[in-house]
Amino acid sequence: MPFEKTTAVVTGGASGLGLAIAEGLIARGTQVAIFDIHAEQLELEVKRLRADGAAVNGYVVDVSDRAQVRSAMAHVRFDFGPVLILINNAGIEQFGKFDEISDEFWDRVMAINLRGPFICTQEALPDMKAAQWGRIVNISSSSAQGGQSQMAAYVSSKSGLIGLTKSLALELGRYGITVNTVPPGMVVTPLLERAIAEGRFTASLEHFAKITPVKRAGRPEDIANATVFLCQDESSYITGQVIGVNGGRRT
Ligand SMILES: NC(=O)c1ccc[n+]([C@@H]2O[C@H](COP(=O)([O-])OP(=O)(O)OC[C@H]3O[C@@H](n4cnc5c(N)ncnc54)[C@H](O)[C@@H]3O)[C@@H](O)[C@H]2O)c1
């Protein structure tokens, strides 16, 4: 099964890392369905990608909502065919003291960052099992590898995603489906720019670059390159792995 010409769903693909991943897959000939909650941004990016000749559709979806995901997957099958690649990338950040996290906010972070991948994977799985071929890449976070002060809900959700990855790899390997996770570290995207503008980090981006072995912050294409690599047919023996893309800050 060559991964070119297959169909990929990229969640949260209207911005930042998801958009770069969508572009990386499109460059390899994959048909891409972008799921995103942000309708305006989605329309803008899909128009731009189509103008460049991409086979891409946008679907307004909240990944934490089972009915919305199920309906969007059905549309993707109709528009493009079976979904054989799934990139669970949509996520929200959370900053603040542990004592001040409300039940509602904890649940919201878990719903998008962890239940979203659970739902999307369940809804795409029948296609992959039928094809005996599938690629799932979960975008977690390097913060889950070492913990992060004042990000307890976020880090818990992303740690859960690493556990989900490892468990699914064991369960789905027999169907030719690989499941891996890429935990990015400090990549310049709208999410990170928002966090910096809101003063969420005590250190500047320049400082992070200085303490990073490769001496720069990450670029969205760094994450996209690793993700596309994991989707290739040649990567069929790589599963259950945590592929850190962080300039060497965490190994
Ligand atoms: N940028 C970084 O440094 C960094 C580091 C570690 C992990 N990550 C993770 O990478 C992923 C992408 O982050 P980014 O930096 O590109 O952020 P971003 O905010 O630029 O993009 C996230 C996208 O997800 C979408 N989204 C949010 N909630 C959604 C929902 N419920 N349903 C569907 N779409 C939804 C947003 O509309 C947005 O388009 C996230 O999961 C994030 O936690 C990012």
Side-chain angles (χ1 to χ4, degrees):
M1 170 71 67
F3 96 100
E4 288 90 355
K5 310 290 172 217
T6 57
T7 298
V9 166
V10 180
T11 72
S15 171
L17 305 185
L19 182 57
I21 293 166
E23 288 175 324
L25 288 167
I26 287 165
R28 295 295 298 266
T30 310
Q31 305 179 116
V32 172
I34 299 178
F35 287 8
D36 206 288
I37 200 166
H38 195 327
E40 248 172 66
Q41 179 73 12
L42 180 63
E43 196 187 336
L44 201 82
E45 294 300 345
V46 167
K47 255 192 201 153
R48 183 182 63 79
L49 293 168
R50 280 200 188 134
D52 290 341
V56 60
N57 279 351
Y59 306 81
V60 180
V61 182
D62 178 345
V63 293
S64 67
D65 184 309
R66 169 81 64 177
Q68 289 186 30
V69 172
R70 183 166 292 174
S71 156
M73 286 286 180
H75 280 103
V76 176
R77 284 184 195 106
F78 181 80
D79 295 339
F80 282 144
V83 176
L84 300 188
I85 297 173
L86 172 64
I87 314 298
N88 285 310
N89 163 81
I92 56 167
E93 71 278 29
Q94 165 270 326
F95 297 101
K97 285 189 179 148
F98 176 71
D99 334 30
E100 290 164 8
I101 302 172
S102 67
D103 293 355
E104 291 71 27
F105 197 61
W106 177 275
D107 288 348
R108 186 74 191 134
V109 172
M110 292 297 159
I112 296 172
N113 294 3
L114 190 52
R115 192 172 76 212
F118 155 68
I119 291 173
C120 291
T121 303
Q122 274 193 341
E123 294 298 329
L125 209 47
D127 291 359
M128 298 186 195
K129 280 187 172 176
Q132 294 284 293
W133 194 97
R135 296 284 182 269
I136 299 168
V137 182
N138 296 320
I139 306 301
S140 53
S141 167
S142 66
S143 62
Q145 294 172 290
Q148 185 71 43
S149 169
Q150 308 224 351
M151 292 188 83
Y154 177 81
V155 172
S156 300
S157 69
K158 294 296 187 178
S159 304
L161 197 49
I162 294 175
L164 179 69
T165 302
K166 292 185 178 188
S167 300
L168 284 182
L170 298 179
E171 197 166 326
L172 301 178
R174 70 190 62 193
Y175 303 107
I177 300 169
T178 68
V179 192
N180 292 288
T181 180
V182 173
M186 281 294 168
V187 186
V188 183
T189 66
L191 179 147
L192 187 68
E193 284 166 342
R194 258 192 326 269
I196 290 170
E198 288 166 7
R200 303 298 192 169
F201 295 111
T202 43
S204 65
L205 208 53
E206 289 71 31
H207 174 74
F208 281 112
K210 214 184 265 177
I211 60 168
T212 299
V214 304
K215 303 295 172 208
R216 67 169 175 85
R219 302 176 187 123
E221 54 271 30
D222 295 321
I223 306 306
N225 289 338
T227 303
V228 171
F229 166 77
L230 291 169
C231 294
Q232 294 182 125
D233 201 37
E234 291 81 354
S235 300
S236 62
Y237 206 55
I238 305 172
T239 192
Q241 301 304 311
V242 181
I243 310 288
V245 182
N246 53 39
R249 279 187 62 225
R250 289 193 210 276
T251 56

